[in-house]
Amino acid sequence: MVQLLEVKNLDKSYDGKSYALKNLGFAMEEGDFIVLLGLSGSGKSTLLRCINRLIEPSGGDIIFEGKSIIPYKGLQLRQYRRNIAMVFQQFNLVKNLSVLTNVLTGRLGYHSLGSAFTKQETELAMQNLKRVGLQDFASRQVKQLSGGQQQRVAIARALMQEPKIILADEPVASLDPATADSIMQYLAEINKDGIGVICSLHFLSLARRYGSKVLALKDGIKAFEGLPVEIDKQRFKEIYGEDAEEI
Ligand code: ADP
Ligand code: MG
C-alpha cells in the first residue's frame, strides 16, 4: 500500500501548559477510511485542524506524500491545502447563496483574487452535485434544503478541490440516524473512488460499518488504533471510560 499521510509525535498545546494532543502517531494509506473516535474534548478537531494546518502543531511532524508539510508557507501551503478538503458538522455553507455557487467556492484555492469561475469548473460542479444526488437542486438557495441535503452540498464543495483526503469533523452529528447513514454512504462511495477519508464520529456502530481503520483519542493521547472489529467491550471502556455504555 502507498502511504498518503503520516503523523509523527504530534503535540498541540493551546496554552503552553496542557496538551490537546500528545505524542500522537499514525499512518494513513491510500484508500483508507479512518474513523476518529473519542469523547468530546479528546482532541479530534485539533488533530483534523493540524492536518490541514488551520492551526499550528506545537511539535512533531506531518508527512504528506513523503514530505513534511510543517515548513510550508504561502503558495506551497495553498497548494498543499488543495489536497485536503474539509467537511464540518454545521456544514459551513453560505445559506443565502445558491447550491451551485456554494459548490463552486470549493474551487477558490485554485483562483487568484477575483478571477472568475470557468465553464469547466461549472461543469465539474454539476458533476459533483450529481455524485451526491443533487443535480436538480443547483439553483436552489441552500437555506431551502434539509440538513442532510446541505451536508451533501458541502461534500460536493469538498470534491471541487479534487482532494486526495477529505477530513470530516463530525459530519453527521447534527443529523437524524437515517440521514446520517446516507451521508456516510456518500463518503464511502467517494472513498471507493480513491479519496482517503478521516472522519470523526460519535457512534461506534457507524465506525464499524464504514471505517477501514479506527483511531481513538483519549485526552489527546492515542487510546486505540486498529480495525473496527477489534473494539470489544474492554477496548470500548478504554476509549470512553469505565462507566460508558454503547448505544
Ligand atoms: P474534540 O474535537 O475531540 O471535542 P478538541 O480538539 O475540540 O476536541 O479539543 C481538545 C482540547 O483542546 C480540549 O480540552 C479543548 O478545550 C481544547 N481546545 C480546543 N480548541 C481550543 C482553542 N481554540 N483554544 C484553547 N483550547 C482549545
Ligand atoms: Mg470536535
Side-chain angles (χ1 to χ4, degrees):
M1 285 299 258
V2 182
Q3 190 165 289
L4 196 54
L5 186 80
E6 189 183 3
V7 169
K8 285 162 96 170
N9 309 107
L10 189 70
D11 291 331
K12 173 65 189 177
S13 175
Y14 289 99
D15 59 8
K17 286 176 272 185
S18 59
Y19 282 89
L21 292 175
K22 185 74 191 149
N23 199 27
L24 184 70
F26 70 95
M28 176 180 200
E29 272 150 22
E30 270 180 8
D32 271 346
F33 192 124
I34 297 182
V35 171
L36 198 53
L37 294 177
L39 289 172
S40 182
S42 61
K44 304 181 296 297
S45 297
T46 299
L47 172 60
L48 295 176
R49 290 196 211 113
C50 283
I51 291 172
N52 78 347
R53 292 269 316 275
L54 276 174
I55 56 173
E56 293 300 320
S58 309
D61 209 350
I62 299 172
I63 317 276
F64 175 73
E65 292 185 327
K67 292 195 206 81
S68 172
I69 64 143
I70 301 295
Y72 289 176
K73 283 191 279 207
L75 179 64
Q76 226 181 2
L77 182 58
R78 270 184 68 195
Q79 284 170 343
Y80 165 68
R81 284 205 179 119
R82 289 176 189 168
N83 294 296
I84 316 290
M86 286 211 71
V87 174
F88 302 92
Q89 177 179 351
Q90 299 302 339
F91 324 133
N92 294 13
L93 302 169
V94 185
K95 299 249 191 309
N96 287 322
L97 293 179
S98 72
V99 166
L100 180 63
T101 305
N102 271 276
V103 172
L104 279 166
T105 63
R107 206 66 195 167
L108 286 174
Y110 288 86
H111 282 257
S112 54
L113 206 62
S115 66
F117 295 115
T118 63
K119 186 164 171 280
Q120 286 82 353
E121 286 176 317
T122 305
E123 283 166 8
L124 182 63
M126 290 308 297
Q127 277 169 31
N128 285 329
L129 278 171
K130 199 166 177 204
R131 276 169 97 173
V132 296
L134 289 176
Q135 63 275 26
D136 297 334
F137 288 71
S139 56
R140 284 281 182 99
Q141 279 201 324
V142 162
K143 66 181 170 203
Q144 299 172 331
L145 269 53
S146 70
Q149 289 169 332
Q150 290 191 29
Q151 195 57 297
R152 282 148 66 191
V153 174
I155 291 170
R157 178 182 59 186
L159 290 171
M160 290 302 285
Q161 286 178 233
E162 301 179 87
K164 301 212 169 121
I165 299 175
I166 289 182
L167 305 175
D169 196 354
E170 309 215 22
V172 302
S174 303
L175 304 173
D176 62 78
T179 308
D181 198 74
S182 95
I183 292 296
M184 292 305 294
Q185 282 178 36
Y186 283 110
L187 288 175
E189 271 171 38
I190 288 163
N191 176 247
K192 282 203 187 73
D193 291 341
I195 298 175
V197 177
I198 307 180
C199 176
S200 61
L201 289 175
H202 261 86
F203 292 112
L204 192 52
S205 56
L206 289 176
R208 287 207 174 98
R209 199 169 314 152
Y210 293 102
S212 67
K213 278 186 195 165
V214 171
L215 177 70
L217 300 178
K218 191 179 183 195
D219 300 329
I221 294 168
K222 183 160 76 180
F224 172 74
E225 182 182 14
L227 299 175
V229 294
E230 292 174 296
I231 303 178
D232 54 14
K233 277 215 170 72
Q234 178 56 34
R235 289 245 164 75
F236 183 83
K237 286 188 189 301
E238 284 163 18
I239 298 167
Y240 290 107
E242 274 305 317
D243 299 330
E245 293 288 343
E246 189 174 348
I247 50 167

